[in-house]
Amino acid sequence: MSAPIRFHFDFSSPYGFLASLRIDAIGARHGRSVDWKPILLGAVFKVSGQQPLLGIPMKGEYARHDLTRFARLWGSALEMPPVFPFSSVAASRLFYWLEETDPARAVPFAKAAFAAAWEQRRDIGTPDGTVAVAAGLGVAPEAARAAIASPAVKERLRREVDAAIAAGVFGSPYVVVDGEAFWGADRLWQVEEWLARGGW
Amino acid sequence: MSAPIRFHFDFSSPYGFLASLRIDAIGARHGRSVDWKPILLGAVFKVSGQQPLLGIPMKGEYARHDLTRFARLWGSALEMPPVFPFSSVAASRLFYWLEETDPARAVPFAKAAFAAAWEQRRDIGTPDGTVAVAAGLGVAPEAARAAIASPAVKERLRREVDAAIAAGVFGSPYVVVDGEAFWGADRLWQVEEWLARGGW
């Protein structure tokens, strides 16, 4: 088994959501596991000086159209959330807590949170919304709520975000395979090509 | 024959160059001609408030690596030009002049200018450099030089850039097929999919 694929994403990134629909299947086709890594684009943008895509003149309008078109192509009925942008802090903390305490539920939670936000018009921007998604997977609400407020979990997320920034992660999705970085859902075909050929 | 594909690009855009390697073949596979439309990203960025990709922290370094890797995948030995960014005004004017006076040479000139800038480390940022590229295709240097300085040709380019901005073009490459816009060399697979399916 070769090294896992690293999959960095922000729960509030629609292109991160699109990549999440395919990344595990791509890994599976090439004998790779996928290491899911939620990040916070807000912290990243502070370093890189970028602004959120959907707020950029011309480009933002294009992206709204592109997103739903891209999602349709991949079989997802993506809709812009009623509240956007939303905070991805609670969902990211819950993910890392699950990864430490109940690892088999971490990625299923990430997928459920993504679907809740981007297909079901549910609010995952608050602890309550995030806890409700986790509860749907059988995670005890009181424990989940406590995890989101826990200093150790907060610290874990901070560490992950800092490490991602230090590694050059500047967007979502940002996929790393054998040291090669690929940014964007529209680069997944190159990730697959890289895995198939062992580089080029 | 269906409507042509509109292919907007800036000669100084490396991803525009990458798209130029494939766009005609994509059109041909689906019975479409391609309408090549040089634009000036500098003018576009004034409206959209964006900055050139390669100058953005983190993202710019990634893009330099991504570019050569992407080019290798498509069989091009892309190299960053010795002078970058360079002006694409002279090449764009010469293109539109050829389109009006010697249309069979316009797209071959665009391809030669792109190759000169992105594979051969030649300078197309000056009238002299651009005229030399055109001369290689049999275009008389004196006429080419006069065209680049001609008020009518300058006005034509201005009109094209204004029309592109009015149509929402905010980047390079920017491809429009049957009213659907696709931005980026990494969206060409979706352009092809759109043509093959007649939309989705």
Side-chain angles (χ1 to χ4, degrees):
Chain A
M1 187 89 178
S2 311
I5 296 168
R6 248 189 305 131
F7 171 45
H8 301 273
F9 62 92
D10 185 312
F11 282 109
S12 73
S13 154
Y15 291 106
F17 164 65
L18 289 176
S20 79
L21 298 173
R22 299 278 169 119
I23 192 72
D24 280 347
I26 290 173
R29 278 196 286 276
H30 301 280
R32 304 282 188 121
S33 62
V34 178
D35 198 4
W36 290 51
K37 291 279 187 193
I39 58 164
L40 302 176
L41 279 183
V44 172
F45 287 174
K46 269 188 204 149
V47 177
S48 69
Q50 289 182 83
Q51 43 176 329
L53 174 66
L54 295 177
I56 299 173
M58 299 172 84
K59 209 165 161 176
E61 289 152 57
Y62 166 82
R64 278 166 205 270
H65 180 75
D66 176 66
L67 267 175
T68 49
R69 183 178 64 193
F70 195 151
R72 276 201 316 276
L73 182 61
W74 281 3
S76 162
L78 180 148
E79 279 190 83
M80 285 304 294
V83 178
F84 188 83
F86 59 83
S87 166
S88 41
V89 169
S92 302
R93 285 186 192 156
L94 201 57
F95 175 88
Y96 285 117
W97 171 69
L98 285 171
E99 207 194 51
E100 287 180 16
T101 59
D102 189 2
R105 281 209 177 90
V107 170
F109 164 74
K111 291 178 178 178
F114 258 142
W118 291 103
E119 293 185 329
Q120 297 156 11
R121 302 176 63 85
R122 288 165 63 191
D123 178 15
I124 66 162
T126 60
D128 282 352
T130 290
V131 166
V133 170
L137 298 165
V139 177
E142 277 323 299
R145 206 178 308 274
I148 290 170
S150 137
V153 174
K154 290 181 184 179
E155 178 51 30
R156 168 77 193 275
L157 175 58
R158 254 195 305 269
R159 242 181 14 245
E160 292 286 353
V161 173
D162 288 349
I165 292 172
V169 176
F170 60 81
S172 164
Y174 188 100
V175 174
V176 183
V177 43
D178 300 339
E180 287 290 318
F182 296 87
W183 169 53
D186 41 21
R187 277 282 187 296
L188 286 187
W189 62 276
Q190 291 194 3
V191 170
E192 181 121 39
E193 199 76 19
W194 192 268
L195 288 163
R197 301 185 185 202
W200 63 75
Chain B
M1 184 92 177
S2 312
I5 296 167
R6 248 189 305 130
F7 170 45
H8 300 274
F9 61 92
D10 186 312
F11 282 108
S12 73
S13 154
Y15 291 106
F17 164 64
L18 289 176
S20 79
L21 299 173
R22 298 278 167 120
I23 193 73
D24 279 348
I26 290 172
R29 277 196 286 278
H30 302 280
R32 304 282 188 123
S33 62
V34 178
D35 198 4
W36 290 51
K37 291 279 187 194
I39 58 164
L40 302 175
L41 279 184
V44 173
F45 287 174
K46 269 188 204 152
V47 176
S48 69
Q50 290 182 81
Q51 42 176 330
L53 174 66
L54 295 176
I56 299 173
M58 301 173 82
K59 209 165 162 177
E61 289 151 57
Y62 165 84
R64 278 167 204 270
H65 180 74
D66 176 66
L67 267 176
T68 51
R69 182 179 64 193
F70 195 150
R72 277 201 315 276
L73 181 60
W74 281 3
S76 163
L78 180 148
E79 280 190 81
M80 283 305 293
V83 178
F84 187 83
F86 59 83
S87 165
S88 42
V89 169
S92 301
R93 286 186 192 156
L94 201 58
F95 175 90
Y96 285 116
W97 172 69
L98 285 171
E99 206 193 51
E100 287 180 16
T101 60
D102 189 1
R105 281 210 176 88
V107 170
F109 164 74
K111 291 180 178 177
F114 259 141
W118 291 104
E119 293 186 329
Q120 299 158 10
R121 299 177 64 84
R122 288 165 64 191
D123 178 16
I124 66 161
T126 61
D128 282 353
T130 290
V131 166
V133 170
L137 298 167
V139 177
E142 278 322 298
R145 206 177 308 274
I148 291 169
S150 139
V153 174
K154 291 181 186 180
E155 178 53 30
R156 168 76 193 275
L157 176 57
R158 253 194 305 268
R159 241 181 16 246
E160 291 286 353
V161 173
D162 288 348
I165 292 172
V169 176
F170 60 81
S172 164
Y174 187 99
V175 174
V176 183
V177 44
D178 299 340
E180 287 291 317
F182 296 87
W183 169 52
D186 41 21
R187 278 284 187 295
L188 287 186
W189 62 276
Q190 292 194 1
V191 170
E192 182 123 37
E193 198 77 18
W194 192 269
L195 287 163
R197 301 187 187 202
W200 63 76

